Amino acid sequence: MQATMAFKKAFLHKMLQGLQLSLPPSGNMSLVERKEAVKASSDVAMAFARDGANWSRAIIANLSREGKTKSLVRNLLGKDFERFNKPCYTSKKLTSKKILKRSYQARRTMRKSSAGSIGRSLVKTRTRVLRRVVPGGDSLDELSLLGETVDYIVSLKAQVDLMQSIAVLNHR
């Protein structure tokens, strides 16, 4: 999977706007401050370009809480700031007595085999790690988490590609 051209254009446009807003014209910034400004601009731009994903809302919500980046996020998003800070609702798990009864029966039979219990524990561990890595992943069910993870990885790859392109152009 690859990011669309529309995503890349929106990302690049917002990132350049963010860099103009966060980097002073005089250039009197330390390397750490410059790195933080580029990272914040890049993260907000990526989240804005991928509007609608839970991870994009989580990134903007996290950056909006921080004192240094709050004004950058507000200025960069403008009128869209409020829309991005609305809580996102995730899909709820459907439950019924029959489904629960069947799952408990299946669990009882799987517990007897050690391979099944090892596989279950590995899946639980990896899901827990994935929830920590994907922004907003802690509020998602497993299926939604996998979809958000794929979307987040595609967006991160596009972010890296665009930043590498900017770096190449800057060195010319």
Side-chain angles (χ1 to χ4, degrees), residues 142-157:
E142 287 82 10
L143 188 60
S144 299
L145 178 65
L146 291 175
E148 288 286 319
T149 302
V150 169
D151 189 46
Y152 186 54
I153 290 170
V154 169
S155 299
L156 284 174
K157 173 133 177 44

Side-chain angles (χ1 to χ4, degrees), residues 73-168:
V73 173
R74 189 173 285 280
N75 291 335
L76 192 55
L77 294 179
K79 62 183 177 184
D80 293 322
F81 180 76
E82 297 302 324
R83 182 173 55 89
F84 270 94
N85 276 325
K86 286 182 182 174
C88 56
Y89 300 101
T90 60
S91 60
K92 302 270 184 187
K93 293 181 184 177
L94 298 174
T95 58
S96 73
K97 289 182 181 179
K98 285 184 179 180
I99 294 173
L100 287 174
K101 188 175 178 181
R102 270 190 250 141
S103 69
Y104 287 134
Q105 289 172 351
R107 285 182 189 169
R108 271 191 239 129
T109 58
M110 286 179 68
R111 283 188 185 142
K112 293 177 184 174
S113 68
S114 63
S117 63
I118 292 171
R120 251 191 328 280
S121 68
L122 281 174
V123 169
K124 274 187 178 182
T125 304
R126 290 178 181 165
T127 304
R128 209 172 318 132
V129 170
L130 207 53
R131 286 184 196 283
R132 287 193 304 252
V133 172
V134 176
D138 50 351
S139 65
L140 300 172
D141 63 302
E142 287 82 10
L143 188 60
S144 299
L145 178 65
L146 291 175
E148 288 286 319
T149 302
V150 169
D151 189 46
Y152 186 54
I153 290 170
V154 169
S155 299
L156 284 174
K157 173 133 177 44
Q159 182 184 33
V160 168
D161 292 344
L162 287 172
M163 291 180 83
Q164 284 177 339
S165 299
I166 290 172
V168 167

Side-chain angles (χ1 to χ4, degrees), residues 56-73:
S56 66
R57 291 180 186 275
I59 285 177
I60 289 176
N62 290 341
L63 289 173
S64 297
R65 283 188 221 120
E66 297 174 15
K68 294 178 182 178
T69 57
K70 187 175 186 174
S71 62
L72 171 69
V73 173

